């Protein structure tokens, strides 16, 4: 009876439209289940920060945190076709592909595992793209399926509507992942250079572990600033993982690291803070200037983290790597390809899980 009730609501609340060869009914994603957000309640459902609760933001912070990177829509449907109809507030030009920066990425659970099912990309001209229906997958059987859709990494969304064949059922899914772990970091965590929205480090870790790694990646802007520390200290995250040394320079690390830790721990004692060693950027291989700058920053981070793990309880420092044996996983000398991001996620997966188990997060 409950499923039938939700089905009726979905049909009456959604819009019906002809897209391609199908008649669709649409449900707004925010009326389904949204997860993957550090701050679940925000004034607009597809942004990642509540700017009314926390102050001190710079224009760049707001711009990045209004993007929907890492936000997941969870739902169940028996429709043989799943489509999407978005309305964009902005579409950013970025070095992520269209399928990542302004596209949608669908996974469906099969035999207990999340299996990629389809994706679509949108163009850069909002006036042409808003309201356009694109299919994620078609020609499926009519069985009930548990689905998640990743929202675009570098776009801002006003509306996201999930489309199913008219007469099919669509209902809220459960939050399919356990706990809430904040993964705060640079463009690496935001999703730069990914091919699809579901190929970020937080996404890889979430699907591999069943734990909810919520992305708070802010491209080029993760330098352990006070405004981020103050906001994170008020979150309900049960653990934190930081890609904190990829942006900024050695002086930034010296200035911000200890106050960043202390601000969060003052409000969240006993919560693990796991810092990741930043990855090797392949442009260092022959560029002496970049090698010197990166080496100085990493040496500073290493020396200060040795102090931090002794000075502060519940603080950890782990190695990470996005490099294959061939050193051939970089897209542009700075950002990995999605294969490099997968290697990064795998390099930290077991160390993170070992730490989290100490806190009964498993």
């Amino acid at each position: 009876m409950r499923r039938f009730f939700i089905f009726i609501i979905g049909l009456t609340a959604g819009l019906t439209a002809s897209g391609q060869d199908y008649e669709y009914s649409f449900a707004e994603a925010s009326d389904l289940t949204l997860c993957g957000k550090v701050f679940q309640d925000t004034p607009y459902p597809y942004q990642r920060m509540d700017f009314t609760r926390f102050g001190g933001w710079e224009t760049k912070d707001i711009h990045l945190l209004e993007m929907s990177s890492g936000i997941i829509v969870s739902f169940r449907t028996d429709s043989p076709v799943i489509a999407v109809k978005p309305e964009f507030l902005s579409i950013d030009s970025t070095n992520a592909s269209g399928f990542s920066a302004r596209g949608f990425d669908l996974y469906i659970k099969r035999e207990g595992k999340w299996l990629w099912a389809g994706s679509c990309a949108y163009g850069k001209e909002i006036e042409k793209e808003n309201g356009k229906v694109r299919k994620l997958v078609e020609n499926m059987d009519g069985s009930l399926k548990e689905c998640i859709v990743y929202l675009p990494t570098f776009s801002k969304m006003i509306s996201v509507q999930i489309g199913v064949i008219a007469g099919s059922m669509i209902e809220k899914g459960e939050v399919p992942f356990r706990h809430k772990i904040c993964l705060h970091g640079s463009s690496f965590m935001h999703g730069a250079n990914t091919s699809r929205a579901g190929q970020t480090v937080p996404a890889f870790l979430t699907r591999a572990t069943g734990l909810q790694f919520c992305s708070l990646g802010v491209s080029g802007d993760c330098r352990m600033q006070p405004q981020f520390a103050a906001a994170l200290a008020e979150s309900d995250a049960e653990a934190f993982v930081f890609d904190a040394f990829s942006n900024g320079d050695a002086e930034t690390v010296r200035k911000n690291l200890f106050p960043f830790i202390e601000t969060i721990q003052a409000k969240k004692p006993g919560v693990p803070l796991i810092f990741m060693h930043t990855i090797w950027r392949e442009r260092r291989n022959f560029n002496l200037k970049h090698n010197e700058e990166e080496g100085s920053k990493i040496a500073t981070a290493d020396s200060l983290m040795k102090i931090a793990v002794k000075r502060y309880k519940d603080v950890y420092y782990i190695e990470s790597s996005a490099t294959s044996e061939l050193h051939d996983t970089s897209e542009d000398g700075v950002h990995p390809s999605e294969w490099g991001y997968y290697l990064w996620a795998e390099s930290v997966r077991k160390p993170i899980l070992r730490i989290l188990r100490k806190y009964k997060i498993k």
Side-chain angles (χ1 to χ4, degrees):
M1 180 62 71
R2 175 179 175 274
R3 181 172 295 167
F4 177 76
F5 179 71
I6 295 174
F7 163 63
I8 292 296
I9 289 178
L11 285 184
T12 56
L15 301 175
T16 302
S18 247
Q20 305 290 332
D21 301 323
Y22 304 107
E23 188 81 7
Y24 291 105
S25 291
F26 288 94
E28 185 66 31
S30 58
D31 292 331
L32 298 170
T33 299
L34 295 183
C35 56
K37 298 176 66 173
V38 177
F39 299 92
Q40 187 65 23
D41 297 321
T42 52
Y44 299 97
Y46 309 118
Q47 68 182 42
R48 295 178 292 156
M49 181 63 69
D50 184 348
F51 301 109
T52 66
R53 287 181 60 195
F54 312 108
W57 302 106
E58 299 177 4
T59 300
K60 185 177 182 181
D61 301 333
I62 295 171
H63 174 61
L64 293 166
L65 290 168
E66 286 178 340
M67 296 175 182
S68 59
S69 181
I71 298 178
I72 299 168
V73 187
S74 172
F75 61 95
R76 288 184 288 265
T77 185
D78 59 3
S79 175
V81 181
I82 299 174
V84 65
K85 182 169 69 169
E87 184 177 355
F88 295 92
L89 176 63
S90 74
I91 298 175
D92 230 28
S93 296
T94 176
N95 50 359
S97 84
F99 283 88
S100 175
R102 53 189 183 275
F104 299 82
D105 205 8
L106 170 68
Y107 283 75
I108 298 175
K109 184 171 281 189
R110 174 182 285 175
E111 297 177 355
K113 295 183 178 180
W114 293 105
L115 188 63
W116 180 81
S119 59
C120 67
Y122 282 80
K124 297 179 180 179
E125 298 182 53
I126 292 179
E127 62 275 10
K128 292 182 179 179
E129 298 302 295
N130 276 350
K132 187 174 289 186
V133 177
R134 284 202 166 90
K135 289 177 291 186
L136 292 166
V137 66
E138 61 184 334
N139 300 318
M140 295 192 294
D141 63 37
S143 62
L144 183 65
K145 297 174 180 65
E146 187 176 354
C147 308
I148 55 174
V149 170
Y150 290 90
L151 301 192
T153 54
F154 283 90
S155 296
K156 302 179 187 180
M157 311 306 305
I158 297 172
S159 171
V160 177
Q161 296 189 49
I162 305 297
V164 298
I165 295 296
S168 298
M169 179 273 292
I170 183 169
E171 66 177 8
K172 289 184 176 184
E174 304 297 329
V175 175
F177 307 110
R178 305 180 302 279
H179 302 287
K180 180 184 281 190
I181 301 147
C182 170
L183 209 168
H184 176 46
S186 66
S187 58
F188 295 144
M189 301 301 117
H190 195 139
N193 286 73
T194 50
S195 293
R196 292 188 278 106
Q199 293 189 309
T200 64
V201 171
F204 280 133
L205 284 171
T206 295
R207 294 196 303 274
T209 65
L211 300 175
Q212 184 181 191
F213 286 85
C214 299
S215 173
L216 206 69
V218 282
S219 186
D221 201 37
C222 179
R223 300 184 301 278
M224 299 176 286
Q225 304 98 307
Q227 64 269 30
F228 283 95
L232 293 176
E234 299 294 337
S235 76
D236 62 354
E238 299 168 69
F240 295 90
V241 178
F242 297 113
D243 159 40
F245 309 123
S246 296
N247 294 148
D249 54 20
E251 180 56 34
T252 301
V253 175
R254 279 191 290 269
K255 176 183 175 182
N256 291 347
L257 176 58
F258 292 167
F260 184 79
I261 292 172
E262 291 165 5
T263 297
I264 296 174
Q265 288 199 329
K267 292 290 185 72
K268 299 189 75 66
V271 172
L273 310 183
I274 305 169
F275 289 81
M276 294 187 290
H277 191 283
T278 195
I279 60 170
W280 180 272
R281 300 188 186 200
E282 297 296 339
R283 70 180 183 179
R284 296 180 60 185
N285 293 343
F286 296 99
N287 188 313
L288 299 181
K289 180 181 178 182
H290 286 315
N291 186 54
E292 181 180 357
E293 291 171 347
E294 281 290 294
S296 173
K297 177 176 63 177
I298 290 172
T300 300
D302 288 348
S303 64
L304 291 176
M305 283 306 302
K306 287 181 180 179
I307 298 170
V309 296
K310 294 178 180 178
R311 178 182 296 181
Y312 304 105
K313 187 180 179 183
D314 306 308
V315 172
Y316 302 87
Y317 193 37
I318 62 174
E319 292 293 327
S320 65
S321 175
T323 302
S324 70
E325 292 180 0
L326 297 176
H327 278 256
D328 202 21
T329 59
S330 179
E331 285 276 356
D332 56 9
V334 176
H335 302 92
S337 64
E338 63 273 4
W339 174 237
Y341 284 127
Y342 172 77
L343 293 176
W344 187 339
E346 280 298 290
S347 75
V348 299
R349 178 170 59 87
K350 289 182 179 179
I352 289 174
L353 291 179
R354 280 196 293 268
I355 294 167
L356 294 181
R357 279 196 291 268
K358 299 178 183 178
Y359 299 84
K360 304 188 184 302
I361 301 172
K362 56 186 178 179

